[in-house]
Amino acid sequence: MAVNAQLIKELREITQAGMMDCKKALEATDGNINDAIVWLRENGLAKAAKKSDRVAAEGVALAKENDKKVVILEVNSETDFVAQNEKFINLIDEIANVLLASDAKTLEEGLALKTNSGETIEQALVNATATIGEKIQLRRFTLIAKEAGNSTTLYNHANKRVSVVLNFKGTIDASDAYNLAMHVAAMSPQYKNMDEIPADFKESEFSIIKAEAKEDPKLQGKPENVLENILKGKLSKRLSEISLVDQQYVVDESFKVGQFLESKKVTLIDMIRYEVGEGIEKVVTDFASEVAAQLGN
């Protein structure tokens, strides 16, 4: 079986191993994904392909504010059914209020905060797990203090799975700020701008683009300098899809988001987007889990 860019990308997503390691693994196993996972693990190169016994990958994201602060948080459950339970929703709202009244900076500090009943957030989550019968956990939160001269806005999507908080330096009309938050919710940028994108991510993406180019007959035979410029253009386009200021503004496509912000004379300080389950490792395949168990991981 031929080793192509799509196979390499698939194996990278499963194992988080390097692109060249994935290529070697696939070449060594005639393009068999499952055998390649074993090869990577045997060579100590796979970082993922395992999961917890119980993964809480459903839940609710919520952004809330008071006069002084804005908080955005994600609380997970194991099933979507529980995520819509009234007691679960009320617990999340209480946790948000407790966080808003605090100066907690870390998850550990947040879990140690006392609720109105006198128990900590951590204890409340344990009790909820016992009562509901599913693993309930506070996965993450971010607190932002409101400052004079700045503007903050929040957005909670109707499905309760996506929330956004934006913090601007300067004053922006509330409707413009809200529309930008909706844009972030819909277009899911990962970074505010290109400068925030890590160098290793850019290198990884460029390597994938180069691998894809080898499979593209339209690019065969191109002079080296021409091909390099084409590939750099592809990289720039791909990176612009995850950089907020480089995205076309969905509310007014005559602007890029960065241009729109400039027209409003504001600077975006913070962009926080939470989506339920984002980044939580899912089960890859039953086979991969078996391999991890056999290798003692």
Side-chain angles (χ1 to χ4, degrees):
M1 183 176 181
V3 175
N4 56 39
Q6 183 57 41
L7 268 178
I8 293 170
K9 183 179 179 182
E10 185 178 346
L11 184 58
R12 284 184 70 228
E13 290 173 348
I14 292 172
T15 64
Q16 299 301 302
M19 191 197 76
M20 293 309 299
D21 291 328
C22 289
K23 185 172 184 291
K24 289 177 184 176
L26 287 164
E27 287 174 344
T29 57
D30 296 323
N32 185 295
I33 286 280
N34 288 338
D35 289 345
I37 292 171
V38 176
W39 190 94
L40 286 167
R41 285 196 162 275
E42 287 177 343
N43 286 275
L45 299 171
K47 299 176 184 176
K50 61 182 180 180
K51 73 180 254 317
S52 305
D53 290 336
R54 301 174 71 185
V55 177
E58 297 296 334
V60 167
L62 174 68
K64 194 171 183 178
E65 64 182 333
N66 60 19
D67 292 340
K68 297 180 179 179
K69 296 173 186 173
V70 180
V71 68
I72 183 170
L73 65 152
E74 178 185 351
V75 178
N76 296 129
S77 60
E78 292 179 59
T79 65
D80 182 57
F81 177 76
V82 166
Q84 299 177 49
N85 180 285
E86 185 178 355
K87 289 183 178 179
F88 182 75
I89 299 298
N90 290 340
L91 173 63
I92 293 169
D93 192 61
E94 182 180 7
I95 290 172
N97 289 335
V98 172
L99 290 169
L100 280 170
S102 78
D103 294 314
K105 294 180 176 60
T106 66
L107 184 58
E108 184 179 10
E109 290 174 356
L111 290 170
L113 294 172
K114 294 287 184 70
T115 64
N116 291 335
S117 66
E119 62 186 358
T120 64
I121 288 178
E122 185 171 25
Q123 289 167 337
L125 292 167
V126 170
N127 291 338
T129 297
T131 301
I132 296 172
E134 284 193 10
K135 183 178 180 181
I136 309 295
Q137 63 182 26
L138 173 62
R139 182 185 174 207
R140 52 182 172 165
F141 73 88
T142 302
L143 268 174
I144 294 178
K146 295 181 178 180
E147 296 183 13
N150 289 356
S151 306
T152 57
T153 191
L154 56 84
Y155 172 79
N156 292 303
H157 194 61
N159 65 4
K160 296 184 174 66
R161 295 182 62 87
V162 178
S163 292
V164 173
V165 169
L166 301 180
N167 186 26
F168 304 90
K169 182 178 181 180
T171 303
I172 182 171
D173 182 81
S175 62
D176 286 334
Y178 187 76
N179 286 339
L180 278 167
M182 285 199 297
H183 170 99
V184 171
M187 303 306 293
S188 60
Q190 296 176 41
Y191 303 94
K192 286 188 298 181
N193 52 53
M194 294 277 196
D195 292 338
E196 285 192 351
I197 301 176
D200 58 351
F201 180 88
K202 293 178 182 177
E203 290 171 7
S204 174
E205 287 302 305
F206 197 47
S207 295
I208 292 172
I209 287 170
K210 283 182 175 179
E212 291 171 345
K214 291 179 181 178
E215 306 293 326
D216 188 346
K218 294 180 182 178
L219 298 179
Q220 305 305 313
K222 294 277 186 185
E224 190 66 30
N225 63 325
V226 173
L227 180 60
E228 187 75 8
N229 287 332
I230 291 173
L231 298 184
K232 285 180 179 178
K234 286 179 176 290
L235 175 64
S236 179
K237 183 176 184 299
R238 189 168 295 183
L239 296 179
S240 71
E241 294 171 355
I242 61 172
S243 167
L244 174 61
V245 299
D246 296 289
Q247 291 181 338
Q248 214 70 36
Y249 186 30
V250 293
V251 177
D252 184 348
E253 293 190 351
S254 65
F255 288 100
K256 287 189 176 181
V257 172
Q259 294 170 330
F260 182 78
L261 288 169
E262 286 177 10
S263 74
K264 298 300 175 179
K265 296 181 170 57
V266 294
T267 301
L268 183 62
I269 303 170
D270 299 297
M271 177 197 76
I272 305 157
R273 181 187 185 276
Y274 280 4
E275 181 170 354
V276 171
E278 186 177 48
I280 294 179
E281 191 179 347
K282 303 290 196 303
V283 182
V284 178
T285 61
D286 289 338
F287 177 86
S289 295
E290 290 170 8
V291 170
Q294 289 170 6
L295 294 174
N297 293 323

